[in-house]
Amino acid sequence: MSTDVQHSPDMNDPARKSANGELIRLERVTKRFGDHTVLDHLDFSVEAGKHVTLIGPSGSGKTTILRLLMTLIKPDEGTITVDGDQLFPAPEKQVREVRKKIGMVFQQFNLFPNMTVLRNITEAPVTVLGLSKDEAEERARDLLELVGLTDHVDKHPAQLSGGQQQRVAIARALAMRPQVLLLDEVTSALDPELVAGVLDVLRDIARSTDITMLCVTHEMNFARDISDQVLMFDSGRVIEAGTPEKIFSEPEHDRTREFLSAVL
Amino acid sequence: MNWDWQAVSDFMPQFWDGLLVTLQALVLGSLISFTLGLVWALLMRVPSRWVTWPVGVLTEFVRNTPLLVQLVFLFYVLPEWGVTFSALTTGVVGIGLHYSTYTMQVYRAGIEAVPVGQWEAATALNLPLRRTWTAVILPQAIRRVVPALGNYVIAMLKDTPMLMVITVLDMLGQARLFSQEHFQFTEPLTVIGVAFIVISYLASLLLRALERRLVH
């Protein structure tokens, strides 16, 4: 099953993207909240299929990047491009198209409490992608197998533990077959003993699919484990970037060293 | 004061007629107020002052003027505009409209109480706005507001006797009619008093059962 999660034919279609396989590009993106400038003319890009982790102190703008990409907020300036198509600025119709390529898992799960686990996962594939109910349910059951929750199909979110809810949320995001999966501190709201189960599922997905991942996390071991690239953020800027080995073993920047010694 | 059981049984045929009218007014008035209140609440969220301003003024006006005045107004003025409803229909519309301006506030609170994360999840899944409302937001909002809506059903029940002034023969109307014909006031008025308590109680039981069903 797991190899079936991500089959995007255009992922490898060179005509769709620039030569270096860039999937996400933010150009001179500025985001202010009131007087506070979170991102200041940020340039940022992610290559297709890479697993990129954003680390850094809170308030440094990591989550803001994910929220901009998910179109939950709009930048004040700049452009955002996904897979060669502009996401911002863009007309609503185009935003809806481009957004299909992006999925997100939230810190607080945000499952729909009025729906069963199964319907949480099938709702969007049916109403947005136009899958038949049977197709969507088959896809949902496969994904529930992947996240180890086949016994909980007909339960409501309130009947599940936080870790189980988060795994349903991962399945729900994957059911849309996005090219990019945004993970926003997905284990921060979980009891410590439930964290491992969620991270295992994500490791599995990272290894067995070609999905692009963009994570904000405080789980440094997880970041080390799945990332191709780690970006250290401070005050809305990338102050250091590199492989996890380099960032965690021999950080160059003082701020990175301070941050890592505080969290590790 | 003598209690006359004969008067009670003489009143019964009229009582049943009155009860039926009261229940009709209550059920239809509730349905109108639940529906219209939701319409007002949704219109108030339309991002255009051309919509929110008239709706705001209208509902504010209806909420802050007496139901009794509104009923009399509808009963005597609508026919002049060429709209002729039966007295009961006019009463039901009047009560429904009046209470819709309260239920709209209940709905608004219920909608605002749905966590912002639900909207964000709907956006992340690319659900169309309409679907977000019907499948995600409203089911959660309405579940939250059932107890508050229930309180307005009870309040509405207690306002149905006002329909008497526009010639509707509800329970109070029938009791008064009977009293005037037979010069016996205690029995019919006591009977309808008890009936009001029983209806309130049954309605509250029904609502509690509904609440329980809505909570997983």
Side-chain angles (χ1 to χ4, degrees):
Chain A
M1 155 59 223
S2 38
T3 50
D4 196 33
V5 176
Q6 180 61 30
H7 272 321
S8 314
D10 44 353
M11 284 286 290
N12 300 314
D13 179 355
R16 296 285 301 157
K17 307 184 278 281
S18 52
N20 58 0
E22 195 173 86
L23 188 62
I24 297 172
R25 170 169 274 284
L26 278 71
E27 273 175 299
R28 300 185 64 70
V29 167
T30 297
K31 179 64 192 176
R32 299 181 200 94
F33 292 109
D35 292 339
H36 181 57
T37 303
V38 182
L39 300 177
D40 186 12
H41 295 94
L42 177 76
D43 290 304
F44 175 84
S45 64
V46 176
E47 280 177 39
K50 292 279 191 255
H51 308 141
V52 178
T53 303
L54 313 182
I55 62 170
S58 32
S60 58
K62 303 163 305 209
T63 291
T64 303
I65 292 175
L66 300 195
R67 294 175 62 80
L68 284 167
L69 280 166
M70 198 64 259
T71 68
L72 301 176
I73 50 175
K74 285 192 167 118
D76 295 299
E77 290 165 45
T79 57
I80 300 175
T81 315
V82 174
D83 198 22
D85 296 315
Q86 204 147 307
L87 185 64
F88 182 89
E92 175 63 19
K93 213 180 149 193
Q94 184 172 333
V95 170
R96 295 195 59 82
E97 273 313 302
V98 181
R99 199 160 52 196
K100 282 184 190 164
K101 301 172 183 187
I102 308 166
M104 183 161 182
V105 182
F106 299 88
Q107 187 176 351
Q108 299 293 339
F109 332 136
N110 296 350
L111 292 179
F112 302 132
N114 55 314
M115 300 180 191
T116 61
V117 164
L118 189 67
R119 244 209 78 209
N120 261 282
I121 304 173
T122 58
E123 172 64 30
V126 170
T127 53
V128 180
L129 304 180
L131 261 63
S132 74
K133 194 163 167 275
D134 287 345
E135 289 171 314
E137 288 188 358
E138 198 189 321
R139 191 182 280 193
R141 284 174 202 282
D142 286 347
L143 285 164
L144 283 171
E145 199 182 318
L146 176 76
V147 300
L149 288 172
T150 33
D151 298 340
H152 304 276
V153 181
D154 295 318
K155 288 191 182 163
H156 280 82
Q159 295 167 281
L160 303 180
S161 74
Q164 291 169 329
Q165 289 191 51
Q166 193 60 298
R167 285 185 275 155
V168 173
I170 292 166
R172 179 175 74 171
L174 292 177
M176 296 297 282
R177 306 229 167 131
Q179 296 181 27
V180 189
L181 189 60
L182 307 175
L183 303 165
D184 185 14
E185 302 195 27
V186 294
T187 56
S188 301
L190 297 178
D191 291 337
E193 75 272 18
L194 302 175
V195 170
V198 170
L199 294 184
D200 283 345
V201 164
L202 290 173
R203 262 190 213 104
D204 204 24
I205 293 163
R207 239 178 256 128
S208 60
T209 71
D210 54 0
I211 198 165
T212 306
M213 278 186 181
L214 197 52
C215 334
V216 170
T217 184
H218 292 118
E219 297 286 336
M220 293 303 145
N221 287 328
F222 171 69
R224 198 193 312 248
D225 211 16
I226 69 150
S227 307
D228 300 305
Q229 194 184 18
V230 176
L231 302 181
M232 170 70 195
F233 268 76
D234 193 40
S235 309
R237 292 171 185 285
V238 180
I239 57 168
E240 190 166 353
T243 61
E245 294 77 31
K246 177 182 165 286
I247 297 284
F248 291 118
S249 315
E250 34 194 290
E252 280 168 13
H253 208 286
D254 287 343
R255 288 290 292 140
T256 314
R257 269 194 289 274
E258 281 169 38
F259 174 74
L260 289 175
S261 67
V263 296
L264 282 178
Chain B
M1 188 194 90
N2 295 311
W3 180 262
D4 182 359
W5 284 107
Q6 188 55 44
V8 173
S9 85
D10 289 347
F11 175 55
M12 274 301 128
Q14 275 172 271
F15 167 73
W16 295 121
D17 289 346
L19 177 66
L20 193 64
V21 169
T22 296
L23 289 177
Q24 273 180 335
L26 180 64
V27 171
L28 297 174
S30 300
L31 290 179
I32 292 179
S33 76
F34 293 169
T35 315
L36 211 50
L38 181 58
V39 171
W40 300 142
L42 292 177
L43 285 176
M44 287 304 280
R45 293 187 66 103
V46 172
S48 157
R49 262 185 298 176
W50 295 102
V51 177
T52 55
W53 198 79
V55 172
V57 168
L58 174 77
T59 55
E60 208 53 42
F61 183 79
V62 171
R63 191 185 314 119
N64 293 301
T65 50
L67 172 58
L68 195 54
V69 175
Q70 289 162 15
L71 290 173
V72 174
F73 180 89
L74 290 175
F75 189 63
Y76 291 104
V77 176
L78 281 187
E80 284 187 22
W81 295 347
V83 183
T84 41
F85 287 147
S86 72
L88 180 58
T89 308
T90 308
V92 163
V93 169
I95 287 186
L97 178 66
H98 186 79
Y99 274 92
S100 73
T101 62
Y102 288 96
T103 58
M104 77 182 275
Q105 295 180 314
V106 172
Y107 284 119
R108 192 195 60 193
I111 290 165
E112 285 172 0
V114 176
V116 67
Q118 295 290 305
W119 290 96
E120 293 182 348
T123 303
L125 291 168
N126 230 350
L127 293 184
L129 185 61
R130 222 191 139 87
R131 188 71 188 165
T132 303
W133 275 105
T134 57
V136 178
I137 304 301
L138 287 180
Q140 295 181 50
I142 288 171
R143 189 163 300 171
R144 275 164 223 265
V145 301
V146 165
L149 290 181
N151 291 338
Y152 282 115
V153 172
I154 308 287
M156 242 181 283
L157 170 69
K158 293 192 289 178
D159 274 354
T160 52
M162 283 192 206
L163 297 182
M164 196 175 72
V165 300
I166 57 167
T167 76
V168 173
L169 287 173
D170 73 317
M171 290 200 296
L172 181 62
Q174 293 286 8
R176 204 174 70 139
L177 202 63
F178 182 88
S179 306
Q180 286 165 347
E181 286 167 359
H182 300 81
F183 301 102
Q184 281 176 303
F185 296 87
T186 316
E187 293 80 2
L189 289 171
T190 307
V191 167
I192 66 163
V194 171
F196 272 112
I197 290 189
V198 171
I199 300 171
S200 303
Y201 182 64
L202 291 179
S204 67
L205 285 187
L206 207 71
L207 286 159
R208 228 172 294 160
L210 184 64
E211 268 177 67
R212 257 198 309 271
R213 265 201 55 178
L214 289 175
V215 177
H216 308 299

